[in-house]
Amino acid sequence: MASTLPAELIKSLSDQHPKPSDIHFQYGTAGFRTLGSTLDSVMFRVGIIAALRSKKLDGRTIGVMVTASHNPEPDNGAKLVDPRGEMLEASWEGHSTTISNAPTSDALIEALEALVQTAKIDLSKPANVVYARDTRSSGPALVSALEDGFKALKATTRNAGVTTTPILHYLVKSINTKGTKYSYGDDSEEGYFQKLSTSYKKLVAGKAVQPPLVVDCANGVGALVGKQLNEYLGDTLQLVLANTATTIPSALNNACGADYVKVSQKLPPSLSSVLKPGQRACSLDGDADRLIYYYLDDRGGFHMLDGDKIAALVAAFIVELVKVAGLEDQMKVGVVQTAYANGASTRYLQERLPVKCVPTGVKHLHHAAERYNVGVYFEANGHGTVLFSQPTLDKLAEYQPSTPAQSRAVEHLVSLTELINQTVGDALSDMLLVEVVLSHKSYSGEEWNSLYVDLPNRLAKVSVPDRNAFKTENAERRLISPTGLQAKIDELVNRYQGGRSFVRPSGTEDVVRVYAEAALKTQADELAMRVAGLVYDEAGGEPAFRPKEFL
Ligand code: G16
């Protein structure tokens, strides 16, 4: 390995981005995420880490997305993207945490040298990085710190500007597959829109045009991208964009967006005068990688169609196409969920398909889904996609259908592989996927919703002094620490008909999350609050969320 780290250059730039002495940073569920005002040193170091990761992988392009997704506007963060558009390899999460916590510039250089040694990085290799940010007001300054990190390692960079997390993932994979037989698409935003809109148009050709769809953009970057997508879709689907105030900082994810809808199980108040009974609507989150659908019934009642309902809709549609195509023996479809999946959805899916439960976080779901020929993965919060394995894609390309029906089904499957952003959950791509299925099945929101009836459930969160004191096992369904707490939860759960509850530390917010479901709504609420009370008593925390009934 010829080169060494440019220690002088790193030191002089690092001195301009000192680490705050009182903060311990952590690469969590989806990267670094905390108050944007504290992240300057982290961003500088993320720039260096991305460059080193690229060198380690022979100069393949790495992505960095500056976003805090569904979190409030003052938060920010960074997600690192590996060459195939997937999340950063797990072992580098630990390296990233170590490097972000080196207390001084000298300690940083020492930590970087240790990483170069342990990961056997050849520093003479090139470094290539593509990066983007969402609409947060702290974004420009943090991007400038990130760029200093790139400079410190003399990386070759491409600024993808203000865009969604899924588009950044798309760009990473497209850049790395450019000119190969596995080309993922043209490495531009235009290439992304063309790919999605062309496949959507093929899939709905000959079908009645879907009525206009209301899209809550969470006042985030989805508004900018949704506007462009609308133009590409033309008259094949009209998106009625709402919550598009990207320049009012306090508006981001505030009383709107996918997380608001999922957690509060309510219509964003801003849509109450927009949405008509029976009309479909959906909410994106701050970086447009989550999607939740909903509608109002004739009496104004709110009905949510979350990630579980999307998984059920999409998996059934794909299974049907595979069957009609005559490929069911060769193309096994499976579903991946987390402990947050509604018990009714798991039951519904298990009766039809193999279903696996993994810990929270796209990286876990994505890897588990890769084990199927076609892996459908969705978190209840609306984060998910469908993966078609390479042998499956090859099979679809070579397959010789023997009837017109088989031929149509294969064409649809091929178009789905183009429509679906397989690098990561993508709210806009998933939204078009849902629209395709609704159009093919002629389903209204109500008909979709009746696939199964959700068990009443409640999410709660508790702020505690140290969320890392909470450790889990069995795909986060049971606590192993603090000792004895799980037994108390079990004892409570047994008192509720159809009761289920679990507790886990969040990887994106400084809280412990509590989930509960039960046969009746009041019982699910009560169980969640009682379990939150146990967590509070154990850790001396603050229940940061209480349903009104308990105040
Ligand atoms: C991220 C992850 C998701 C995860 C969510 C919440 O989403 O990508 O897989 O479900 O955080 O994680 P936690 O419960 O650990 O806070 P996003 O949309 O915020 O990037």
Side-chain angles (χ1 to χ4, degrees), residues 214-219 240 242-243 256-258 261 268 271 282-285 294:
V214 174
V215 184
D216 158 23
C217 300
N219 295 312
V240 181
N243 295 324
C256 61
V261 174
L271 294 194
C282 61
S283 285
L284 323 177
D285 68 341
Y294 41 90

Side-chain angles (χ1 to χ4, degrees), residues 43 82 145 239 243 290 302 337 384 389 483 485 502 544:
M43 286 297 163
D82 260 359
L239 308 175
N243 295 324
R290 296 190 195 185
F302 173 78
Q337 300 187 310
S389 71
T483 320
L485 184 52
F502 65 88

